[in-house]
Structures are given as structure tokens and as C-alpha cells.
Amino acid sequence: QVQLEESGGGLVQAGGSLRLSCAASGRIGSRYSLGWFRQAPGKERAFVAGITWSGGRTYYADSMKGRFTISRDIAKNTVYLQVISLKPEDTAVYYCAASSVALVARVDYWGQGTQVTVSS
């Protein structure tokens, strides 16, 4: 069982930046990937970025490359998502996720989500 808790969301002005954190607890196997999805109002939840827990390999949705950076701190059991040059269309609930296979294939655990609102 893995528990995920996000933090770092809030209200940000367009052009600004923020860093989301996801603290993971429980048994995170070496095969796991952790990452982020987001769900904007009226839209489906979409993959943003992922990172393999053991090797730290990162991967991003094509539309997220450039402004989003995912990283992890194994000692803190925490995954981060740094976002720069925020746009109003980045407004969404951001969810942390964990998968024992691949995030884009199956999510085994979800966090509760953290709201990010970007004002123009």
C-alpha cells in the first residue's frame, strides 16, 4: 500500500512559477514510477510527467515538455513538479500518482489532489 499526499498548490499569477510536492509513504518498490496528472475544469484527467523511482528516468506528455520538470528525492520519499511560465490554462487539480508498471498504462495509487489556479 502506498499513500500519496500533495502540497504546494495555490493561486499564482500568469508568468509565475511553483513547485508541487508529493510525499509518499508505504512500500515503494524499485519498479515503481511516480508522477503527476492534472484535471482542468470540464476536462478529463491527463498525464503530465513521470519518473522511475529507482533510476530517476523522467518522461513527459508531449504538450508538457519545456515548462514542467519532475524530480525526486529518495531520502525524503518525495516527488516534485516544478512549473515555470504558468498560464491560465494550467489551472487544474494536480494529482500525484504511483504505478508498478507505467503511469500511462495503469495508476495503482492516487493522491487527493492539489488545486492550482493561475490568474491572468
Side-chain angles (χ1 to χ4, degrees):
Q1 191 78 4
V2 176
Q3 294 81 41
L4 305 170
E5 184 173 358
E6 305 95 335
S7 61
L11 177 62
V12 185
Q13 285 193 330
S17 62
L18 57 71
R19 188 176 76 163
L20 304 179
S21 299
C22 172
S25 59
R27 188 166 180 267
I28 304 173
S30 59
R31 299 179 292 111
Y32 269 70
S33 290
L34 275 71
W36 296 89
F37 288 71
R38 71 181 187 182
Q39 187 166 18
K43 295 188 177 181
E44 292 187 354
R45 196 171 297 189
F47 172 73
V48 175
I51 186 166
T52 59
W53 192 246
S54 59
R57 183 177 67 87
T58 61
Y59 48 103
Y60 300 87
D62 287 343
S63 61
M64 308 297 176
K65 293 178 181 177
R67 296 190 299 117
F68 295 77
T69 303
I70 189 170
S71 61
R72 78 191 189 319
D73 185 331
I74 292 180
K76 295 182 179 180
N77 263 18
T78 300
V79 176
Y80 303 99
L81 184 69
Q82 180 80 35
V83 190
I84 64 171
S85 302
L86 280 157
K87 305 175 182 180
E89 50 264 43
D90 293 320
T91 294
V93 178
Y94 285 73
Y95 295 92
C96 185
S99 173
S100 59
V101 289
L103 286 166
V104 295
R106 186 187 76 213
V107 173
D108 296 312
Y109 303 99
W110 290 102
Q112 292 297 309
T114 185
Q115 176 71 48
V116 173
T117 302
V118 184
S119 63
S120 57

